[in-house]
Amino acid sequence: MRDNMPKRTLWWGIGLSVGGALMILLVPQLMYGTVSPQTQPEVGQTILSIVQLVLNVVRQLVLPLGTALIAASLVMFYLGGRSKPTDDDRPKRWVLPEPERRTER
């Protein structure tokens, strides 16, 4: 049975890295495009600052987490390939033949 954990970890890492990069690029423009601080200086500034704080924390965590998952999956692939025994790695063992059974008549 094949272990799907390294492949799943790799895809989660790629997804989080791409999502984090898109958040870094697109979220500030979308935030200030929908809520313009110049037209309404007082209304909505508290909500905007809270949402901006939460999104900044998420943006700072998602991209490094994605790259760490990619690195972890590469380590899992490497260790998974090294842990499979080959014929040369196995110690030579003597196997005793099974004793012959006598049949009495």
Side-chain angles (χ1 to χ4, degrees), residues 68-83:
L69 286 176
I70 291 172
S73 70
L74 294 176
V75 170
M76 284 189 274
F77 276 124
Y78 177 74
L79 291 178
R82 302 250 324 154
S83 66

Side-chain angles (χ1 to χ4, degrees), residues 18-101:
V18 169
L22 288 176
M23 282 184 74
I24 289 172
L25 294 174
L26 299 177
V27 167
Q29 287 84 10
L30 291 174
M31 286 277 299
Y32 289 113
T34 56
V35 180
S36 178
Q38 287 82 16
T39 58
Q40 299 171 351
E42 296 292 327
V43 179
Q45 288 298 314
T46 305
I47 295 173
L48 178 64
S49 64
I50 291 171
V51 170
Q52 187 176 9
L53 176 68
V54 170
L55 286 176
N56 280 337
V57 170
V58 170
R59 284 188 301 171
Q60 295 293 324
L61 293 177
V62 169
L63 188 60
L65 178 62
T67 55
L69 286 176
I70 291 172
S73 70
L74 294 176
V75 170
M76 284 189 274
F77 276 124
Y78 177 74
L79 291 178
R82 302 250 324 154
S83 66
K84 295 178 184 172
T86 61
D87 290 337
D88 297 338
D89 292 340
R90 298 177 76 178
K92 306 292 187 223
R93 295 188 180 149
W94 288 92
V95 178
L96 295 174
E98 290 188 27
E100 295 180 16
R101 295 186 185 184

